[in-house]
Amino acid sequence: MRRKLAAGNWKMNGTGAALAELEALAAAHPAPGVDILICPPATLLHRAAEVAGDAIAVGGQDCHANASGAHTGDLSAGMLRDAGATAVILGHSERREDHDERNDDVRAKARAAMEAGLIAVICVGESLEQREAANTLDIIAGQMSGSIPDQCTGENLVVAYEPIWAIGTGKVPTLEQIGEVHDFIRARLERRFGEGVGRSVRLLYGGSVKPGNAADIFGVPNVDGALVGGASLKADDFSPIIAALESA
Ligand code: PEP
């Protein structure tokens, strides 16, 4: 019922030369059995959309909450869409930390993204300190109620669970820990939006997903795919992750 999704977050990595990796990925997956999304830096978005072709979608890594105006350096959801994006990552922990983004900001951006016709990939996740204090589920609950707008559906919302301590560190939660949080997110979505919508929203795990651990993670119930940072930069790394998701 939920189409699986392999999403790559290139972060602030890549100039035009990196498009060769996207080209290689597109050549390796001409008719993928899962959705593939690559979120390059905004400077590459337009060219990436052309290189990616029909089999791979491209997305932004952030957007402004307003449609236009005096916001130097920012990009609106409509601009991302105009450049070829069909989705945008919002509330990534690096933006929450580097730019002091709060749940309210993320919710406003998500609303703008949905109004512009983009899928909002909303990130939630606890710090190591919060996990060690046994606060993980409370943190996730607060981020979900604060960051996810009311008008969401299975078509315009994806939730990515990304424990901050697992991002770019090589540390991965146990499969039980991943399962516990994903089940919790699913239950909360169903409670807030009803079973139909709650069951149709895709849930991604993110945090040090690699070719070697992807199959195990994709075997966890309520994991509908992954949001991948470092291992999405090279086609040779991301391709086996996509293959593992196709076989899950
Ligand atoms: C991310 O930044 O969204 C991420 C999951 O990074 P990595 O895969 O490198 O841990």
Side-chain angles (χ1 to χ4, degrees):
M1 150 178 130
R2 296 184 296 271
R3 192 165 157 87
K4 294 178 191 297
L5 171 62
N9 173 14
W10 282 9
K11 312 190 185 191
M12 198 174 72
N13 295 297
T15 54
L19 292 172
E21 295 297 331
L22 185 52
E23 207 169 354
L25 198 67
H29 301 275
V34 300
D35 287 348
I36 304 174
L37 170 70
I38 293 290
C39 299
T43 47
L44 291 181
L45 205 43
H46 196 269
R47 279 185 288 166
E50 283 173 4
V51 169
D54 291 337
I56 300 181
V58 299
Q61 299 176 12
D62 177 51
C63 70
H64 197 277
N66 292 354
S68 63
H71 303 290
T72 303
D74 283 318
L75 296 171
S76 72
M79 289 169 177
L80 297 180
R81 184 152 175 144
D82 184 53
T86 56
V88 59
I89 299 169
L90 295 170
H92 191 283
S93 58
E94 287 153 14
R95 290 209 59 89
R96 290 181 189 261
E97 276 173 31
D98 295 355
H99 299 272
D100 201 23
E101 283 189 9
R102 305 297 161 128
N103 289 328
D104 280 0
D105 303 316
V106 178
R107 189 171 67 243
K109 289 175 178 207
R111 203 180 296 127
M114 290 169 180
E115 278 163 11
L118 297 179
I119 298 169
V121 181
I122 298 182
C123 302
V124 296
E126 82 286 3
S127 66
L128 189 57
E129 202 181 19
Q130 290 162 338
R131 176 159 283 277
E132 286 174 348
N135 284 334
T136 297
L137 299 183
D138 284 346
I139 294 296
I140 302 296
Q143 289 174 334
M144 286 182 70
S145 52
S147 303
I148 298 176
D150 287 333
Q151 70 266 47
C152 80
T153 68
E155 279 75 49
N156 66 16
L157 174 69
V158 170
V159 178
Y161 168 53
E162 297 209 309
I164 298 168
W165 51 275
I167 294 177
T169 59
K171 291 183 194 149
V172 182
T174 64
L175 300 180
E176 289 71 26
Q177 287 171 326
I178 294 173
E180 180 191 32
V181 177
H182 279 243
D183 289 351
F184 179 78
I185 293 173
R186 176 75 62 215
R188 285 197 72 89
L189 287 172
E190 286 181 17
R191 205 166 76 199
R192 178 168 164 197
F193 298 107
E195 275 191 8
V197 170
R199 284 187 189 168
S200 63
V201 174
R202 292 175 290 181
L203 309 186
L204 308 184
Y205 168 75
S208 296
V209 176
K210 307 283 177 216
N213 61 19
D216 286 343
I217 292 170
F218 296 150
V220 176
N222 277 318
V223 172
D224 303 310
L227 179 55
V228 182
S232 71
L233 294 171
K234 298 279 173 219
D236 282 351
D237 293 329
F238 200 39
S239 200
I241 293 173
I242 293 167
L245 189 58
E246 287 175 323
S247 314

